[in-house]
Amino acid sequence: QVQLVESGGGSVQAGGSLRLSCVASRVQLIRYCMGWFRQTPGKEREGVATIFAGGTDPYYADSVKGRFTISQDTGKNTLFLQMNSLKPEDTAMYYCAVDPTWSGSCDPPREYEFWGQGIQVTVSS
């Protein structure tokens, strides 16, 4: 069973930065879609950024374009999300997810099979 463990969340003031990490175990991230998602109470889960393992054309939600960057270290089976210029509306529980794939887009609304437990990001004004 694939295991995903997120780290790097926390509290920051508006304008600050955080870097989320997601380490995958019991899997080799080859031919996988990988992504970061977020959810706040009472709202639907939102796809923040997605990428194909080893790919170079990531997807970003309009709300984070120019501020967030998704990246990967395939050698360490790790996915990252660099979040800059954070805003209070970025406050949410953030989840990393992976999904094995042989074809198709990694972008939302693709359904992902494996999920981390989530990590809280809180941005204060």
Side-chain angles (χ1 to χ4, degrees), residues 32-112:
Y32 271 80
C33 286
M34 305 184 294
W36 290 96
F37 300 78
R38 67 186 181 187
Q39 190 168 23
T40 54
K43 292 188 177 181
E44 289 191 0
R45 186 173 60 207
E46 175 189 21
V48 175
T50 64
I51 194 168
F52 180 70
T56 58
D57 186 23
Y59 159 88
Y60 294 102
D62 288 343
S63 57
V64 306
K65 280 181 181 176
R67 300 187 299 120
F68 290 13
T69 303
I70 187 171
S71 63
Q72 57 193 290
D73 183 335
T74 53
K76 295 182 179 180
N77 258 12
T78 303
L79 183 68
F80 302 100
L81 185 68
Q82 178 66 44
M83 305 185 293
N84 298 328
S85 302
L86 283 161
K87 305 175 181 180
E89 50 264 43
D90 295 317
T91 295
M93 186 72 78
Y94 283 72
Y95 300 87
C96 76
V98 300
D99 187 51
T101 181
W102 289 98
S103 65
S105 171
C106 295
D107 304 347
R110 183 189 185 99
E111 291 293 328
Y112 278 60

